[in-house]
Amino acid sequence: MFKPVRCPRSQHCAVRYNVHTSTLDWQTQTVRLSTTQGKMSLAFTVPHFSERYRGCRITTADLLCCNGTWWLHVVVDVPEPVVQPHPEVIGVDLGLNRPAVTSTRHFLGTRRWKEIDRRIFRLKRKLQSNGSKSTKRHLKKLARKQMRFHRDCDHVLSKRLVQQAPPGSTIVLENLTNLREGVRHRKGEGQRRLHTWSFAQLYGFIAYKAQERGIVVERVDPRHTSQTCSRCGHQARNNRRSQSVFHCRACGYQLHADLNAAIVRRFGAYQISL
């Protein structure tokens, strides 16, 4: 006999609310939600890391249960900050070995992120050789775990990056939209890490965190920035001696390759703005 096929169901699917189906009062810390049994008024507490958003206008909210605790994820509309423009321009070089290097000589990100990614990849490769149902369930859990890990890394990196820039300044990033089509990597770990790099998500996190502090985010063409000297402007392919060493053939200037690219981006954006 064939087993009947049923549609997949979720026992804890989040409920989406808007301004018509929910009312939140910041003063009394109560929220009134529409349910299948009518309107319900519930008390809530605001976590310490969300206190700065208290009093903002509510747009949408998601009600979900996590490990037996009910959470209401509220999306608020934060007004644009009024800050004075700052003349400082900070160039940023994004990469796989060094997550982010700024022109102010800050190396952001930790090396353990890459090792955690490698460990998850080795476990996934080991499980993929076994086609049982339990391994497939485990692979799905690992995929969700890796997605959450990348999201957390992008949040941490974008927060640290925005904190390096004063309010009203400018952050210059490289435009990596067509990176996978324009860059040739050898087969192996380099290609795998390139295709799992969530740079678009990182851009989004940097943009909205910078907007909250009045920081302008610009994207520039990344071509030849890793081959250009930040001191004399000489461009040559053999200036890049290795992955981490930049040595100019014209003036002899030597610097960390990612830091040199970040400085080139900073001055390149400055010249364009002039």
Side-chain angles (χ1 to χ4, degrees):
M1 295 180 63
F2 291 100
K3 193 174 183 179
V5 179
R6 294 183 300 178
C7 294
R9 297 181 179 179
S10 175
Q11 298 294 331
H12 302 286
C13 182
V15 182
R16 173 64 57 89
Y17 288 94
N18 55 26
V19 294
H20 303 290
T21 56
S22 65
T23 305
L24 189 143
D25 191 344
W26 292 110
Q27 299 297 328
T28 60
Q29 290 196 173
T30 57
V31 59
R32 189 167 177 82
L33 303 175
S34 297
T35 66
T36 55
Q37 299 177 356
K39 291 279 189 178
M40 293 184 62
S41 295
L42 304 172
F44 67 89
T45 57
V46 181
H48 65 90
F49 50 82
S50 300
E51 280 290 339
R52 55 179 176 167
Y53 300 114
R54 181 192 291 270
C56 296
R57 187 176 68 86
I58 308 297
T59 56
T60 61
D62 291 339
L63 181 65
L64 66 157
C65 181
C66 182
N67 297 327
T69 303
W70 288 93
W71 294 83
L72 186 67
H73 291 179
V74 179
V75 180
V76 298
D77 188 7
V78 180
E80 284 277 350
V82 180
V83 296
Q84 294 295 328
H86 197 280
E88 184 171 357
V89 178
I90 298 177
V92 181
D93 182 77
L94 303 176
L96 296 173
N97 292 316
R98 292 282 186 174
V101 180
T102 68
S103 58
T104 54
R105 298 179 180 271
H106 287 93
F107 292 78
L108 307 178
T110 58
R111 294 185 179 274
R112 69 178 183 87
W113 290 352
K114 184 165 63 174
E115 183 55 38
I116 293 174
D117 246 349
R118 286 176 178 171
R119 187 164 64 245
I120 294 176
F121 170 73
R122 288 194 293 264
L123 181 57
K124 288 172 66 177
R125 184 173 57 183
K126 184 178 180 180
L127 290 172
Q128 284 171 350
S129 60
N130 189 341
S132 63
K133 292 183 178 180
S134 60
T135 56
K136 290 180 180 179
R137 288 195 298 268
H138 197 175
L139 283 170
K140 290 181 179 180
K141 290 182 180 180
L142 277 178
R144 292 193 293 268
K145 180 179 180 180
Q146 190 175 27
M147 181 184 66
R148 293 193 300 269
F149 171 69
H150 287 169
R151 187 177 181 87
D152 179 70
C153 292
D154 291 341
H155 269 300
V156 172
L157 186 61
S158 60
K159 182 178 179 180
R160 292 177 181 174
L161 183 59
V162 171
Q163 287 176 346
Q164 300 299 325
S169 59
T170 303
I171 295 178
V172 182
L173 303 172
E174 48 191 326
N175 190 359
L176 301 176
T177 304
N178 300 318
L179 175 67
R180 295 187 177 96
E181 291 78 11
V183 177
R184 295 182 180 179
H185 274 265
R186 69 179 188 273
K187 292 184 178 180
E189 184 181 3
Q191 186 178 18
R192 173 181 61 81
R193 294 182 61 202
L194 176 67
H195 285 276
T196 57
W197 189 15
S198 56
F199 55 85
Q201 178 177 261
L202 178 61
Y203 278 151
F205 291 167
I206 294 174
Y208 87 81
K209 286 180 173 65
Q211 185 180 10
E212 192 175 357
R213 299 188 62 193
I215 299 173
V216 179
V217 179
E218 294 184 358
R219 298 189 191 184
V220 297
D221 191 351
R223 289 179 296 180
H224 309 302
T225 52
S226 61
Q227 305 171 7
T228 305
C229 179
S230 59
R231 173 174 287 182
C232 67
H234 175 68
Q235 176 188 328
R237 186 184 296 270
N238 55 1
N239 281 347
R240 187 76 177 261
R241 303 297 297 271
S242 65
Q243 178 65 35
S244 60
V245 177
F246 179 90
H247 191 183
C248 181
R249 296 288 183 172
C251 65
Y253 185 59
Q254 186 168 335
L255 191 66
H256 191 283
D258 296 337
L259 178 58
N260 178 78
I263 297 175
V264 170
R265 253 172 227 115
R266 172 181 177 268
F267 285 107
Y270 180 73
Q271 292 171 1
I272 291 173
S273 63
L274 290 179

